Amino acid sequence: MKIKVISRSTEEFTRERSQDLQRVFRNYDPILRPQEKAVEYVRALNAVKLDKIFARPFIGAMDGHVDAISCMAKNPSQLKEVFSGSMDGDIRLWDIAARRTVCQFPGHQGAVRGLTASTDGRILVSCGTDSTVRLWNVPVASFGDSDGSIKTTIEPASVYVWKNAFCAVDHQWDGEHFATGGAQVDIWNHNRSQPVNSFVWGSDTVISVRFNPGEPNLLASSASDRSINLYDLRMDTPVRKMIMMTKTNSIAWNPMEPINFTVANEDGYCYSYDSRKLGEAKCVHKDHVSAVMDIDYSPTGREFVTGSYDRTVRIFPYNGGHSREIYHTKRMQRVFCVKFSGDGSYVISGSDDTNLRLWKAKASEQLGVVLPREKKKHDYHEAIKKRYRHLPEVNRIARHRHLPRPIYKASSLLRVIADAKKKKEERRKAHSAPGSVTTKPLRKRRIIREVE
Amino acid sequence: MTEKKRKQMNDTNLRSKKSKTNPRSPSSLNKQIQTNVHFDEATTDVVYEYEEQDAEEESMKNKRYDPVSVKDRIPSHFKDENVQSDNEFENDDDCYIGTKRDANAEGRHVRMIEGITGMPTETFQGNAENKKLMMSDAFDPSCEVVVCGDGLITIEDLLNPNFVDHNKLKIRVQSIEKNGRTMHTPLPEADQAKVERKVAYVISKKYVTKYQPFIQTNRDATTISFYEKVDIGFSTIGAIASEFRPRSKFEREVAALVLEAHRDDGSRLNKVSKEDRKERQNRAKLRSLLFCNEKKAKRIKKIKSGTFHRHLKKDRLKSESSRIEMDSKVAKKYDMKKYFKRAEERMTLRHTHHNRWAKNVKQHGLNHKYEETRAAMDENCRKHKDLTRKMHSMKGSSSSNDSEDDDENSAGSDLDSKILGKLMKVLGEKDEITESRLSSLGFMRRGLKKSREAVVEECEDLLKNLEDFGSSEDRKAASTSGRRVFGKAKAHVRLNIKHTEGNDADTDSEGKMVGGIPTSTSKPSYELPSQEELIRQTFAGDDVEAEFQKDKQKILDEENPEPEKPILLGWGQWTDTQQKKGLPYGQLKQNKDALRKRDETLKKRNDAQLKNVIISEKSSKKTEKLYTKVLPYPHTSKEAFEQNMRMPMGPECNPTTATGLLNQPEVVKRPGVIIKPIRV
């Protein structure tokens, strides 16, 4: 008779320290665990429910402005620094870790409409309705001295008065150019008091300008004639124009995919475009019930945040049609500007109620130091959630969000309208000669034409 | 020279008007022809020249011409070359001998440049005299004038019959006309901008497209990692501490002390004697032991189970008694305790019937009423007696050990009898087993027999041993007392054994009796029925197949219910016509369709072809929630999806190395680290 005896050497099984884990042997044969799928399903369900329980996205509000916040800029070199400009001409530098104002930049006579900082974080550029562009030297906080050694008010390093009011400004990544949008798109240099270059195409006001962070010579602008323009600094001429049915309020380039950008439209949708094929959107992101005011990509390029006139902030996946998350509070009014933090784990929104708000990008994420075993557990939960996402119960719980009543009503109304339109179109199609009525996909429907 | 000049003109992208030999519009041209050209009569009827007011490109009326090439100064080298070549040409060919050539050569050259560049003559330090001379030249209509700007070049320069014959020139002019480039009208500005933009778009597309492969790999990757190593500035606590500089007086003092202490490696601070260390270790050990014991005691104290505590007490007593035996000190202590208790009892008389509780019990007659109270009273009494017994009598209690021994003995005999009884029971049992129905099967019988034989053998051995032991005991007992009688029992056992043996033999071979008491109850005429017969008997009157079919039909009906029969809806009687007409056509058709559908589904069932099998297609509700009806989005084929879902991802089913990879999140990033945009 053959006898199998367990033989284990003591050396291998003795722990070196009492904190060490005991060595455990497992038999991974799936036949031994016929119920594993059911078990994992239940785990996924529990994980989704836990997510709901731990969802506490709101970290804090930063108040200090006395008028609506019109624009924000993050310091590309400092994670915790955010600039905000308000409608009364006040500009503030915030320490979002401590949630307090570090210093103020007084000087603008009218509303500040655009803010941006150079990539090294030394220079802040602001522009506004007072037709001035102001350059400021950003105070640098050295390590250790946080005891208020920084001056509380800063004088502008230079002021350039120009012929027209400005609506937007954006700084080139890793360069010394910045672009302003007003009557036209002007390209400025840090060291010169006049624009280096101007792009004129069409006669309407430019609302927003955004440089491509991945390809620093490319920039896009949107104008109030509902157009979206592409420019290339190397080419000395506008490159392409596309006209949509409604105005585009803001543009954001995907930092990890320099060919793609997403626009925040007045119709409440966001459209992702490939800059090489402007005839058709790559993806239409819909969920907002009112105009989308601002948009910013996460530095990971996998999601973007939008702020809307419907008083909500939403986070969309870069390739998904619907939002992953919606943030709202009772006191938050129209959101005019949103930004993702430099590490992609926080979202900052500025709204009409003069407050900046700090949110977590993942509502139920655990902040602080996460131990390796905890991290493993979180990863496992994420993985099973993703795997069983298609099952109705898991999906339902994961997608459920509590909405403010006006938004809930508006979205259901919009749904009804869309359904009615669809039905009407179907009927029209059914009652006309085959091929005579064609449906344009939503990706193309809102585009009027592409201008060469 | 004309040719040369033309060439040069072409080269500089300036195109003068072609010389016109065509006399078709003389009237218009005549006006323009100026008189300052010397006219040679010999060529009157053949050649004439005219002059335009201005070259079109010079007038700057439209933007057809490249303003740069028109306005710009001719580069110096060009000028030099021109002059040089002019001279060379002249000298080499010796074909240009104009009458006024010597005087006008310089002027002409200046004029030509002037014409080309559109600048005033003075700038080229032209000769005013020459110019005047030129202006005073007589008009000659037959001269051809090549006009460049406002200066004039005589036809004589070009067509001196002495060096060029007319036909040759004509041919040349024609060839130039034929081969000359024609300038199209330039595009409007808007269109030009459009074209520029188009080109720019193509180029910028090309710039951007270089990112395509990187984007694709990023998108295809299961995880995208931004986990770069970052230099935070300070790597360790030591590094931060090394930055520390003492500022206040106290800090400086402390720093000096520390520095002093650490002068030679700081080993002085850490020096501890050997004994000290040992003592410290011992103390630590003791402390930890104490702590452990304390914890244990606490834990045990918390346990509420009475049985547990009883056991604990028992154990404790046992260990105590053993210790008393082993250790004289402990024994002495124990004795002291005992004496103390006795003395206490004598003084306080605690366990007598005179205390309050006992009195109370007696007064109310509780000891009669409650069994437990009485027992408690008795116990109390016993304790008192024990404790107040005289010492010698206490010693005398050891003599009672004998009686205990006796008890043990008696208990031993009891045990023996018990064993005997059990053995006999076992031996007796087997008859009953033989008669059971199951054992009528051959293999069962054989197996049983074998096991029983083993049992019987063992029993017999045991009995034999007992007998031997019993007999010896018997003898001993007989010598001590006449009370214990084993002989009878022994005989009985033997008898029994014989009896069983007989039975055993019975089962072995029917009807045979080998010794012992014959079993008269056995039936010799019984025959074992055959297997078939047995089965037939057991399942007599069963129609299994029909029942199965019925069951199957029932399940089929349940899973695919038969459509309802069509009926005429209404309250009661229908008229004759209606009844004759029958059911409405639509209803009938619906029913027919439903039936057909049902048949089809029945045919498609997994057990449709299997007669003796029912495969239920009803899905259980519990497992239903684990499955999806539609293929989830990113998957394209069912097989791939199933393959993906097959293996669980948890740490229970995967080794640690695999689990990490399986559960990697989509985006791996480090909180607090700025992520830079893509760079190629």
Side-chain angles (χ1 to χ4, degrees), chain A residues 43 257 259 275-276 343 387, chain B residues 201 208 212 644 647 672:
Chain A
R43 276 183 194 159
E257 301 177 356
I259 54 173
S275 64
R276 301 167 301 173
D343 64 344
R387 170 178 265 200
Chain B
Y201 189 47
V208 168
Q212 184 71 46
N644 202 23
M647 272 301 287

Side-chain angles (χ1 to χ4, degrees), chain B residues 396-407:
Chain B
S397 70
S398 65
S399 66
S400 68
N401 280 354
D402 295 334
S403 68
E404 268 177 29
D405 283 351
D406 274 358
D407 281 357

